Amino acid sequence: MTGSPIRRLALFAPAFALILFACAPGKSQSAWQRWGITRSDEGRAAEARFVAAHRQLYELEFGRAESAYAALAQEFPSSAEAHLGYAMALRYSGKNEPALDQCRRSLELDSGAVAALNCYGDLVSPLRSLPNDP
């Protein structure tokens, strides 16, 4: 592969970030704590569904996670956690435009959510949108 070291780093950064994120020491915490989201109260029944969706995301089952988060975001439209999870599943599936819409919605609901800010930055950063080097 040719090109500058920065360009090469930009190509591998998303995969590296996902690995670090999935292996983070705080993985045993609930995602909303780890993601820095102001917790909304969807109830115990919904909590199990959020846990299942988070598990699918961390196990790299992006299609299943996308479906689970889409249902959660529809059922709980004021949940920043649901919209952020949906954005992340979309992003890792290569669907950047709808991911950006969901990330913006998450930030509208919780402007200080660290993971939402990070996800948004990853989606709009020029380094993350470089074409693959032949």
Side-chain angles (χ1 to χ4, degrees):
M1 178 163 39
T2 61
S4 74
I6 292 175
R7 183 178 177 138
R8 279 184 262 151
L9 178 63
L11 295 174
F12 295 106
F16 185 70
L18 180 62
I19 291 167
L20 287 177
F21 192 69
C23 298
K27 190 175 179 193
S28 62
Q29 296 175 320
S30 63
W32 63 269
Q33 288 173 322
R34 191 173 47 258
W35 291 352
I37 292 175
T38 302
R39 183 72 173 150
S40 53
D41 185 20
E42 288 88 16
R44 286 183 176 250
E47 181 64 23
R49 292 173 53 208
F50 276 97
V51 168
H54 297 327
R55 184 174 298 115
Q56 291 166 352
L57 186 65
Y58 290 123
E59 292 175 356
L60 310 180
E61 297 175 6
F62 302 127
R64 292 180 63 203
E66 181 182 333
S67 296
Y69 283 119
L72 288 165
Q74 184 174 1
E75 188 173 340
F76 304 105
S78 61
S79 171
E81 180 180 11
H83 291 284
L84 176 57
Y86 193 15
M88 291 174 71
L90 289 165
R91 174 179 157 219
Y92 292 128
S93 296
K95 302 172 184 173
N96 289 352
E97 287 304 314
L100 190 57
D101 291 339
Q102 289 299 315
C103 196
R104 284 183 182 131
R105 180 67 183 133
S106 181
L107 285 169
E108 288 171 5
L109 295 166
D110 189 352
S111 62
V114 175
L117 292 166
N118 184 54
C119 185
Y120 184 80
D122 288 344
L123 286 164
V124 299
S125 171
L127 291 176
R128 298 294 175 104
S129 60
L130 291 174
N132 288 333
D133 189 336

